[in-house]
Amino acid sequence: MKKYLLYILLFFLLVTVVDVTVGKSLDYCLNHLKGGEYHSLQYAMKETKADILVFGSSRAINHYVPKVIEDSLGMTCYNCGFHAQGIIFQYGRLLIY
């Protein structure tokens, strides 16, 4: 009986170690991206200091050009749009800013 309890304990210990290791590795990779949509998402949430933020789904990404907004208003602008995400996702991001 004690032998089975030891095996069960070792199994859960192994699963925990693997879970933490994989989680930390993926978190590191996500935070050190150099390009793509997820880099844009991380940059918008952590580093941008723009005066104007454009929120929305793929329509915001494809139809609003930050450079045009910057030139016409004289303020900095960043497009925070993200493909296939609706108002609930964008509202959560707004609360983070």
Side-chain angles (χ1 to χ4, degrees):
M1 185 66 168
K2 288 183 180 182
K3 182 178 178 181
Y4 293 115
L5 289 175
L6 181 63
Y7 285 143
I8 292 172
L9 181 65
L10 287 174
F11 172 75
F12 283 114
L13 182 65
L14 179 67
V15 168
T16 302
V17 168
V18 169
D19 179 52
V20 169
T21 303
V22 170
K24 294 286 184 185
S25 300
L26 293 176
D27 188 46
Y28 176 82
C29 291
L30 182 64
N31 289 326
H32 289 85
L33 290 172
K34 301 294 183 204
E37 286 184 342
Y38 291 101
H39 168 70
S40 174
L41 180 67
Q42 292 291 326
Y43 175 80
M45 289 179 22
K46 293 182 179 179
E47 299 175 29
T48 188
K49 301 292 184 215
D51 298 321
I52 300 169
L53 299 174
V54 177
F55 288 94
S57 61
S58 55
R59 185 171 296 248
I61 293 172
N62 297 324
H63 294 132
Y64 298 104
V65 181
K67 184 68 176 155
V68 173
I69 297 171
E70 287 177 358
D71 291 342
S72 62
L73 296 178
M75 303 170 79
T76 59
C77 180
Y78 187 77
N79 193 338
C80 298
F82 198 76
H83 289 289
Q85 297 299 325
I87 190 76
I88 296 172
F89 178 77
Q90 301 300 338
Y91 181 66
R93 288 179 65 195
L94 179 63
L95 292 178
I96 290 173
Y97 300 119

